[in-house]
Amino acid sequence: MGTLLMNCDWVVTQDPQRRVLRNSSVRINDGKVDDIGDLRPIPKDDIIDCKGKLLIPGLINTHTHLSMTLFRGYADDLELQQWLEQKIWPLEKQLTGDMCYNGALLGGLEMTRTGTTCFVDMYFHMERVAEAVREAGLRAVLSYGVIDPKEDAGIGRERENTLKLLEHIRSLNEPRLEFAVGPHSPYTCSEETLLWAEELAEKNNTLVNIHIAETRGEQARFEREKKARVAEYLNKIGFLSDRVLAAHSVWLTKSEVKLFGQNGVRVAHCPVSNMKLAGGGVAPLPEMWEAGVPVGLGTDGPASNNGLDMFDTMKTCALVHKAHRWDPTIANAQKVLDMATIDGARSISKEKEIGSIEIGKRADLVLLDARDPNMIPIHGKETVVSNLVYSANGFNVDTTIVDGKILMTDRKPLVLDPEKIASAVDVSVAGLFPK
Ligand SMILES: [Zn+2]
């Protein structure tokens, strides 16, 4: 028995031809896209009437820290190091597995609600985050954030936590969940730890999820202490490879961008977080494209964004690059939508599975209400993409589907219970911020 998404007003395929289809249907079978076009129902098909709806591939958030939903709105308007060292890190020391689980469920609900179907995460208590993601029905690449502790004895503990997560995700045997090694950054991990991470990823054929060259302060400190720029240093020690998914990558020179291209490094661009924490500068996006670097979009954690709505991040991405370069043609709507879909899939080596609506790919799909006031009018195919990037927001999402399973329909979550999650988060927050 299949599911027929019947008569969508528009289908934005994001396939290699970037076809936008009018009045078309998509059949889902066995978790995959089975057929696209002018389709008739076959007996036993579950039919979803998609009149007035716009179908897009599920959005891919290539960088976040889901459980940080618990810190949303706490400690805003601060500089990154002050924010991390004085506010976030002390709180993170108190986090329990239950807290991370509840925070991740809240994040999972927000993603379901706003059309994100796959994401890359780095945090602590990741076995509990995996449990939440599994329950939510989303797709994710999960990494434990390795930070070298001051005392040597702690280094073994960080590595053990990584290996524990690797074993745990393997034991779950859940195709929606994947493991990545997660050295936090070149300023919190030694050369030895970075190379250990790269080697572990190589051995297990996984990604390395890391923050690179996020702020001007980090860059200045690196030049002072290591006598090298961040990306130059990573290249010199042999860390850069096509396994590396480099979040931020703001402070790169043109020659460092070329190093990324030559080594096959991928980037998770997080424009909202970069602007909010005012790390200085704007990531060299056009240069990355020119160097052939696959670039996805990320929200970053909900404490530095403060939401997980990828529509908001798409619009911000388009605007910041236009403003920064004095050029309205840069980061056009189609390219930015690519970043949140097919380019995001490329940046995590999943372009054969997800990122576009094509026969044989996983059915990670999102329906938006094309009759919502902010989506009217749609003059033609180009306007569909423009409306998605410049006018839509996550709350235009009506239906979210992952692996053929309907997680939300009619704007009502079917898998997660919003009331229950909100109450559990209240308990976790009360534990973290005692009155
Ligand atoms: Zn981050």
Side-chain angles (χ1 to χ4, degrees), residues 157-395:
R157 188 192 60 226
E158 290 293 284
R159 295 186 187 180
E160 253 169 51
N161 284 339
T162 299
L163 296 174
K164 225 170 79 193
L165 179 66
L166 169 64
E167 284 312 314
H168 180 73
I169 290 181
R170 274 191 185 155
S171 73
L172 293 175
N173 197 21
E174 166 59 74
R176 284 186 287 102
L177 294 187
E178 211 170 272
F179 165 85
V181 189
H184 174 268
S185 68
Y187 65 91
T188 52
C189 295
S190 66
E191 177 178 334
E192 197 206 333
T193 298
L194 292 171
L195 294 180
W196 164 83
E198 177 67 40
E199 202 180 307
L200 183 67
E202 180 82 40
K203 202 168 114 198
N204 292 283
N205 191 25
T206 73
L207 289 172
V208 180
N209 182 25
I210 183 168
H211 302 90
I212 292 181
E214 182 174 356
T215 67
R216 185 176 169 196
E218 173 192 348
Q219 182 67 48
R221 204 165 83 185
F222 240 80
E223 285 183 31
R224 219 170 36 241
E225 288 170 11
K226 307 252 192 233
K227 309 286 175 240
R229 296 182 57 85
V230 179
E232 273 173 6
Y233 158 81
L234 292 172
N235 183 52
K236 202 172 79 199
I237 66 167
F239 176 78
L240 298 183
S241 81
D242 62 358
R243 302 201 169 279
V244 173
L245 174 65
H248 306 301
S249 303
V250 175
W251 284 87
L252 299 183
T253 59
K254 279 185 186 166
S255 65
E256 285 174 309
V257 172
K258 283 189 189 135
L259 284 178
F260 270 29
Q262 285 156 11
N263 287 286
V265 174
R266 303 104 190 282
V267 167
H269 177 42
C270 305
V272 177
S273 173
N274 295 155
M275 289 165 81
K276 183 162 181 272
L277 291 166
V282 175
L285 193 57
E287 287 75 12
M288 288 179 191
W289 287 329
E290 204 179 310
V293 175
V295 188
L297 268 184
T299 54
D300 208 352
S304 64
N305 183 295
N306 291 359
L308 293 162
D309 183 346
M310 285 289 287
F311 289 93
D312 173 64
T313 288
M314 279 197 280
K315 179 169 180 173
T316 305
C317 175
L319 300 189
V320 67
H321 293 284
K322 291 174 199 305
H324 179 57
R325 303 280 175 136
W326 296 18
D327 183 353
T329 67
I330 284 183
N332 65 53
Q334 180 64 59
K335 191 59 191 161
V336 173
L337 183 62
D338 289 351
M339 292 172 81
T341 54
I342 190 66
D343 286 359
R346 282 190 193 106
S347 75
I348 55 172
S349 293
K350 285 187 180 294
E351 71 274 21
K352 290 201 173 75
E353 272 177 75
I354 56 171
S356 59
I357 304 177
E358 289 180 75
I359 294 171
K361 279 197 173 182
R362 305 308 304 171
D364 289 10
L365 304 168
V366 166
L367 279 168
L368 286 90
D369 194 337
R371 303 307 292 163
D372 273 345
N374 63 325
M375 298 300 281
I376 297 173
I378 293 178
H379 303 290
K381 293 178 181 183
E382 290 74 25
T383 325
V384 176
V385 175
S386 272
N387 281 8
L388 282 169
V389 172
Y390 296 120
S391 181
N393 63 66
F395 291 94

